[in-house]
Amino acid sequence: MLLVLKVMGILILIVMGILLTLLLLVLFVPIRYRMDGEKEIQKGIKGNFRLSWLLHILSIHVLVDKEISASVKIFGISVFSKKSNESKKFEEEFWQNSNKEKRKKTTTSSNLSGQKKREQSFDTNTRNPIGESAKLSDDFKSKIKEGEKDALKKISPTNIQKEKKVKNQNQQVRNKKNIFYKIWEKVLWFWIQLKRKYYQILSFLKNLRYYYTEFLDKKEIFIQAWQDKGNRSGIFFLWETIKQLMNHIAPKKWTGYIHFGMNSPENTGKILGLIGVFGGIIGILPEIQPDFEKKVFEGKVMLKGRIYFFYLIQLLIRVWRKKEVYELIDNIKKVWEELSWQKII
């Protein structure tokens, strides 16, 4: 009994050790990602995204080149794959060519065997008189076929031309009717779509009017909710955690440039400002080449980064332990019930 208990205890410890190592690997081994993107003038966007974990035990690859193709592998074994139409066509052509070669080989072998059989039958016919009678019957049949062909040639082509004219006239009448019906169906479909869009726009405007009047009637609720110190502290805390999460997920290595320009210098300046603000929040600001004279968009970017599950769980625990967050959620629910917008939504 003691020996059995000792073995069971060792097995339990081994299993617990394996589970603990797996847990530590998941928490402290990062998920690494790399993204390459390129856009040239008068060409489409090309992209390549790779994600791997623990020496490529888990790997995800997404390729964008006019079409999207993706693959997921675990221990090098493909679990999911979505191929583009070009790769599918290439594979189909490859298999068709291989099947054609196999068919050619089989036909050549069958032709050779047929020739051998004919030679053997020729030898037997020369030896046997039965073969000579079979040849005579074949000659008789060929003469009958030649006589039938001569009879068909003697038929006058006027009747055939008349029949062709009648068929062409009937076909033209049918085509005109089909075109008329197709045009009528398209007009009806377009009218139905117009009516549907009209009613959708009317319902949207009614909802907007209702929300606007509700907001004017109950704007004091928003003011009181914003003036509450607990709500404001909860909002600022969530904003800080989101910034920390974005800084953690953001790439640590990057290179590239962006050359862009809009129709007007004003729009180009606005977009340049947005890129600066967004890049300052994330911590990525590639080389920017604005063009204030013409409309252009091209560039090349390479990004590399990693994500630790331990850090994400740490942020979630911080949010879970914060009391102001729960108070903020309760206050949002109360405001939602007072506004009574859920009746329409």
Side-chain angles (χ1 to χ4, degrees):
M1 288 292 292
L2 290 172
L3 182 63
V4 171
L5 290 172
K6 183 180 178 181
V7 172
M8 289 177 66
I10 291 166
L11 290 172
I12 290 165
L13 287 172
I14 290 167
V15 172
M16 288 178 67
I18 292 166
L19 292 174
L20 183 62
T21 52
L22 287 173
L23 181 63
L24 292 172
L25 287 172
V26 170
L27 289 175
F28 293 102
V29 174
I31 293 174
R32 301 184 183 277
Y33 66 88
R34 175 171 178 163
M35 186 175 67
D36 297 315
E38 186 178 358
K39 172 69 173 69
E40 296 179 358
I41 297 171
Q42 295 179 355
K43 287 186 180 180
I45 296 170
K46 293 181 181 180
N48 192 357
F49 178 77
R50 292 180 182 273
L51 188 143
S52 62
W53 177 73
L54 193 62
L55 300 173
H56 294 275
I57 289 174
L58 172 67
S59 62
I60 298 169
H61 183 208
V62 180
L63 181 66
V64 179
D65 189 3
K66 294 181 182 179
E67 293 179 353
I68 298 171
S69 60
S71 65
V72 180
K73 293 182 180 180
I74 298 173
F75 290 101
I77 300 165
S78 180
V79 177
F80 172 79
S81 63
K82 181 186 176 184
K83 297 179 180 179
S84 62
N85 292 325
E86 291 181 357
S87 60
K88 286 179 182 177
K89 286 178 182 179
F90 178 76
E91 288 182 358
E92 287 176 357
E93 288 176 357
F94 175 76
W95 287 112
Q96 284 175 1
N97 292 324
S98 62
N99 290 325
K100 283 179 182 178
E101 289 177 357
K102 289 180 181 178
R103 287 173 186 172
K104 284 179 182 179
K105 288 179 181 179
T106 53
T107 51
T108 52
S109 61
S110 62
N111 290 325
L112 290 170
S113 62
Q115 286 179 1
K116 289 179 181 179
K117 287 179 181 179
R118 286 172 187 171
E119 288 175 357
Q120 290 175 0
S121 64
F122 179 75
D123 293 332
T124 53
N125 288 326
T126 53
R127 291 174 184 176
N128 297 322
I130 297 164
E132 292 178 357
S133 63
K135 282 183 179 180
L136 290 170
S137 63
D138 292 333
D139 293 333
F140 183 70
K141 288 178 181 178
S142 63
K143 286 179 181 179
I144 291 165
K145 288 180 180 178
E146 287 177 358
E148 288 177 354
K149 287 179 181 179
D150 293 331
L152 289 170
K153 286 179 182 178
K154 291 178 182 178
I155 295 170
S156 62
T158 54
N159 295 325
I160 295 166
Q161 290 178 357
K162 287 179 181 179
E163 289 179 357
K164 284 183 178 179
K165 285 181 181 179
V166 172
K167 286 181 180 179
N168 289 326
Q169 288 175 0
N170 293 327
Q171 189 67 31
Q172 288 176 0
V173 172
R174 288 175 185 172
N175 290 329
K176 286 180 181 178
K177 288 181 179 179
N178 290 328
I179 291 165
F180 176 74
Y181 285 125
K182 285 178 182 178
I183 292 167
W184 180 246
E185 286 177 356
K186 286 182 179 180
V187 169
L188 284 174
W189 179 81
F190 183 72
W191 177 250
I192 291 164
Q193 293 295 325
L194 275 176
K195 286 176 73 176
R196 188 180 293 173
K197 292 292 181 184
Y198 173 72
Y199 288 120
Q200 286 178 358
I201 291 165
L202 277 178
S203 63
F204 177 72
L205 292 172
K206 286 179 182 178
N207 289 330
L208 275 178
R209 186 179 177 184
Y210 176 79
Y211 292 139
Y212 181 70
T213 53
E214 284 286 322
F215 178 76
L216 291 176
D217 292 337
K218 299 179 180 180
K219 63 182 180 181
E220 294 179 358
I221 296 169
F222 289 101
I223 293 167
Q224 290 177 1
W226 177 251
Q227 289 176 354
D228 191 358
K229 292 182 180 180
N231 292 335
R232 293 176 72 178
S233 64
I235 290 165
F236 288 129
F237 174 75
L238 289 174
W239 175 246
E240 289 295 326
T241 51
I242 289 165
K243 283 172 69 176
Q244 291 176 6
L245 179 64
M246 294 295 289
N247 288 325
H248 178 70
I249 294 171
K252 300 298 179 283
K253 293 180 181 179
W254 51 270
T255 57
Y257 72 96
I258 297 170
H259 178 210
F260 77 97
M262 303 300 289
N263 291 324
S264 63
E266 185 179 356
N267 294 327
T268 305
K270 287 178 181 178
I271 292 169
L272 187 63
L274 290 172
I275 291 169
V277 171
F278 188 70
I281 292 168
I282 297 174
I284 301 170
L285 197 63
E287 184 182 350
I288 300 168
Q289 300 172 3
D291 195 334
F292 295 95
E293 295 180 356
K294 59 183 179 179
K295 188 175 181 181
V296 182
F297 179 69
E298 62 175 349
K300 190 174 182 180
V301 180
M302 188 280 291
L303 306 172
K304 288 175 74 175
R306 80 286 181 277
I307 301 168
Y308 286 95
F309 278 110
F310 177 75
Y311 190 78
L312 299 179
I313 291 167
Q314 186 180 1
L315 288 177
L316 286 173
I317 291 167
R318 284 177 61 191
V319 173
W320 178 59
R321 293 179 63 185
K322 194 75 174 175
K323 293 180 181 179
E324 285 82 357
V325 176
Y326 291 102
E327 291 178 358
L328 177 64
I329 293 166
D330 292 333
N331 291 327
I332 288 168
K333 288 180 181 178
K334 289 177 183 177
V335 170
W336 186 259
E337 289 175 357
E338 289 178 359
L339 290 172
S340 68
W341 286 356
Q342 69 271 19
K343 290 180 182 178
I344 285 181
I345 294 170

